[in-house]
Amino acid sequence: MFKPFSHYKTILKEAIIQNISSLLHIYLKTNIYSNTLISYTIYIMEKKACIAMVPSPGLSHLIPLVEFAKELVLQNHNLHVTFLIPTLGSPTPSTKALLNTLPPNMDFTILPQANMPDLPESIETATKMKLIVKNSIPFLHEALKSLTSQTHLIALVFGIFSTDAHYLAKQFNLLSYAFYASGATILSFCLSLPKLDKTTSNEFFSDLIKTVSVPGCVNPFQVKDLPTPVLRERSSETYKSFLDVCQTLSLVDGVIVNTFMDLEPNVIRTLQEKDGPCVYPIGPIIQTKSSREINGSMCMTWLDNQSPNSVLFVSFGSGGTLSHDQLNELAFGLELSGHKFLWVMRAPNKFAGSAYFIGQNVDPLEYLPNGFFDRTKGQGLVVPSWAPQIEVLGHKSIGGFLSHCGWNSTLESVVNGVPMIAWPLFGEQRMNAIILIDELKVAVRPIVDESDIVKREEVANVVKRVMEGEEGLEMRKRMQELSDAAAAALSEHGSSMRALSGLSTEIAKHLSGM
């Protein structure tokens, strides 16, 4: 007796997901449905399975999402990934270079420029990112509509400040995943913020020395170290925008977080045990090779001529800037330390994230103190705006990393076993610094004076603490242990690979239900 066509259709879809050659087995066992099944096979194969990914604006959010997508398609060879990229203007050269190196099973669409109101230069970076995405929703809707007609669109994965896309996922009946490019500790705080907002007074976050407990963390955080948007008035667009992000996180099908079990074990376990979205710790996901060559050969040639562990790498990420006064003090402090340094420098600006979206069109080296190049000749190398950070941190001559504590840079330092000087600028970077210093004990942080400036003597002091003596050696030893743990997490049966496999299984289940 023949079984209904739906039975064979289900088997066929499973066969397509698992192994195309097994279709022959189905055809050999069917008679009356064979022609229909062949037609259905052609239909399924022509409409490839696809996942759309919407990064938060900015290179530092795009990089880990691209690297995650590469890992995901290795788990699901029949998947195709399309990046739908909100923008406020033309992509930066670094963004173009990254997108132009995507493998064949990935492509991208740059969405039309968002129509934005005039925004003050001082607007928070997180708020600006969310507004860019919010104003790109009509373009995103059309892009998803087009993808739906051309592919089997299964899921929508979006960055933390692209959470407005979640509602489009539900509209198109897609799985909805948030990609959290920061760590589990910050995620835990974000998931707890809606309750904190309801149970505390409007003045709660104005007391900067008050402490806040984060689920899964042994030690509380002082209010002053919480993400920047939380410190604004609750009636402000900045606070309300960030709260909306945190509220939406509880509605998604899952949160993919760029961390690993040995880095944040208590927080990850707490997140996975509590009610809420599934949490998949799949990190550390970092680039294995820089996407641009600019300044590369100069940096690497210079490093090749230095002794092992002798150079301090100084970089404030893809868009961080210092005030002119602070830039001068940093320059004098590096000189005063007597240690070798490689400094990726940007022109000064009073707004810490000023270069995050559009870069700079001025020569930053013109802002260095008079005579600095002559006095530090042989001691340091200063390069404008960009250097191949992946390759630099992996070089044997690097002994320390002065960083803004963005999560990408933090993970890159961990993977390469490089101790850090924590110099947070904005966003969640202060919380990252606290984790590195107090929890992991792999970093030191300079003390700021009453005018919120790190003086040159303090710069020299923290450089020596990392680059010299027992304290520096202990930090380097602990970083190497974390580096080994990171490699283990990404091994075939490691914790992060198991999490990625679990996510792939959930996606495959949805695909088989088409």
Side-chain angles (χ1 to χ4, degrees), residues 43-273:
Y43 168 76
I44 287 284
M45 295 301 291
E46 285 179 348
K47 294 190 76 173
K48 57 194 173 189
C50 181
I51 292 179
M53 296 193 178
V54 185
S56 299
L59 183 64
S60 64
H61 288 268
L62 178 60
I63 287 173
L65 192 59
V66 167
E67 296 303 317
F68 160 70
K70 291 176 182 177
E71 294 295 329
L72 186 62
V73 296
L74 285 176
Q75 295 269 333
N76 296 269
H77 296 292
N78 298 318
L79 277 180
H80 188 89
V81 172
T82 295
F83 293 93
L84 304 175
I85 302 175
T87 180
L88 191 57
S90 298
T92 64
S94 296
T95 298
K96 290 178 181 177
L98 177 62
L99 294 173
N100 288 332
T101 59
L102 293 177
N105 49 1
M106 298 183 199
D107 59 23
F108 67 92
T109 297
I110 303 292
L111 299 177
Q113 182 172 333
N115 294 317
M116 296 279 285
D118 290 334
L119 300 172
E121 188 180 7
S122 59
I123 189 172
E124 291 293 338
T125 303
T127 308
K128 191 172 185 178
M129 284 191 283
K130 191 171 186 302
L131 282 172
I132 291 171
V133 177
K134 184 176 181 179
N135 285 278
S136 298
I137 288 297
F139 308 128
L140 185 56
H141 182 278
E142 288 303 308
L144 290 173
K145 186 177 177 181
S146 176
L147 275 177
T148 302
S149 68
Q150 299 171 27
T151 71
H152 285 301
L153 191 58
I154 308 164
L156 186 63
V157 179
F158 44 83
I160 182 62
F161 296 111
S162 297
T163 48
D164 285 301
H166 164 75
Y167 303 100
L168 288 180
K170 297 301 104 179
Q171 183 178 337
F172 284 90
N173 195 29
L174 306 173
L175 289 171
S176 171
Y177 292 104
F179 182 82
Y180 202 77
S182 294
T185 301
I186 317 300
L187 173 60
S188 184
F189 170 75
C190 289
L191 288 171
S192 66
L193 180 61
K195 181 178 179 181
L196 196 63
D197 177 77
K198 289 181 179 179
T199 57
T200 58
S201 66
N202 288 338
E203 292 76 31
F204 180 83
F205 292 122
S206 62
D207 186 350
L208 297 183
I209 62 171
K210 189 169 290 194
T211 59
V212 174
S213 294
V214 174
C217 294
V218 175
N219 300 314
F221 289 84
Q222 287 191 318
V223 167
K224 66 181 179 66
D225 291 318
L226 297 178
T228 308
V230 177
L231 306 183
R232 302 294 179 255
E233 292 287 338
R234 293 199 189 188
S235 60
S236 69
E237 180 63 31
T238 295
Y239 180 87
K240 289 189 289 186
S241 175
F242 189 72
L243 179 63
D244 180 71
V245 166
C246 298
Q247 291 168 332
T248 307
L249 281 175
S250 65
L251 305 176
V252 300
D253 293 304
V255 181
I256 304 152
V257 58
N258 195 8
T259 189
F260 59 99
M261 184 60 76
D262 284 341
L263 189 65
E264 302 176 277
N266 294 332
V267 184
I268 291 173
R269 277 193 289 267
T270 299
L271 288 170
Q272 291 179 330
E273 290 168 1

Side-chain angles (χ1 to χ4, degrees), residues 327-329 331-332 343 365-373 375:
L327 188 147
N328 280 334
E329 290 299 314
F332 285 124
W343 181 7
L365 305 187
E366 294 180 358
Y367 293 89
L368 285 166
N370 290 332
F372 179 79
F373 280 121
R375 294 192 305 273

Side-chain angles (χ1 to χ4, degrees), residues 407-461:
W407 196 246
N408 288 342
S409 292
T410 297
L411 290 180
E412 288 164 9
S413 207
V414 166
V415 167
N416 287 288
V418 179
M420 299 174 70
I421 297 172
W423 195 308
L425 297 178
F426 58 85
E428 87 291 357
Q429 295 163 11
R430 290 182 295 273
M431 287 184 76
N432 292 343
I434 297 298
I435 296 165
L436 291 165
I437 297 162
D438 295 340
E439 298 288 330
L440 301 175
K441 302 186 186 305
V442 293
V444 297
R445 185 175 180 177
I447 299 170
V448 299
D449 69 2
E450 61 281 356
S451 59
D452 206 31
I453 293 288
V454 180
K455 292 295 188 182
R456 63 193 71 178
E457 295 82 7
E458 179 63 9
V459 172
N461 175 50

Side-chain angles (χ1 to χ4, degrees), residues 14-34:
E14 281 294 334
I16 291 171
I17 296 164
Q18 302 298 333
N19 184 356
I20 299 303
S21 64
S22 64
L23 291 176
L24 293 174
H25 177 72
I26 296 174
Y27 294 144
L28 290 174
K29 286 202 167 188
T30 56
N31 291 309
I32 65 169
Y33 294 131
S34 59

